[in-house]
Amino acid sequence: QVQLVESGGGLVQAGGSLRLSCVGSGYIFSTLTMGWFRQAPGKEREFIAAISRSFGVTTYADAVKGRFTISRDNAKNTVYLQMNSLKPDETAVYYCAAGPSNQAVSARPDYWGQGTQVTVSS
């Protein structure tokens, strides 16, 4: 049974915007912190952002602060990543993740989605 499913990836021009979505189970979204990672070809998988389950406390990687926004809708069992001012070097597979806290998700998530491809053209 798939627990986290990403969508919204695709091709976008440099400087453009894209919004990713991740749908999970009601249990996951009522108990866990959610987050996003990305992995570019030849690069390590890197943390992007996380958001807590109840009060929406957010954590962002320095590389995306001011450009990306993470949010969640617990009623819809969905977490979002709004990405603005995208750069070509941000072409990567983007993954949804979950864990017990913002710190835990940023370091070592317990659950992963399968990923969605984002390609930023020049």
Side-chain angles (χ1 to χ4, degrees):
Q1 180 68 33
V2 177
Q3 296 187 12
L4 301 173
V5 180
E6 304 94 335
S7 64
L11 177 64
V12 63
Q13 292 185 338
S17 298
L18 206 60
R19 191 192 196 201
L20 305 181
S21 299
C22 174
V23 179
S25 71
Y27 177 81
I28 288 174
F29 279 84
S30 68
T31 63
L32 298 177
T33 290
M34 306 299 300
W36 289 93
F37 287 71
R38 66 189 177 193
Q39 187 165 24
K43 304 285 188 178
E44 297 181 348
R45 188 171 297 187
E46 63 176 337
F47 169 75
I48 298 172
I51 183 167
S52 66
R53 69 175 182 86
S54 297
F55 299 102
V57 177
T58 57
T59 304
Y60 292 97
D62 289 342
V64 305
K65 286 182 179 177
R67 296 189 298 117
F68 290 12
T69 302
I70 188 171
S71 61
R72 67 190 295 163
D73 186 336
N74 290 335
K76 295 181 178 180
N77 300 325
T78 303
V79 62
Y80 305 95
L81 184 68
Q82 177 67 45
M83 305 184 293
N84 299 327
S85 301
L86 282 161
K87 308 170 184 179
D89 63 5
E90 293 180 309
T91 293
V93 177
Y94 284 68
Y95 297 90
C96 182
S101 69
N102 288 35
Q103 290 187 27
V105 168
S106 67
R108 182 169 47 81
D110 293 325
Y111 305 98
W112 294 95
Q114 292 299 308
T116 185
Q117 177 70 46
V118 172
T119 302
V120 185
S121 66
S122 300

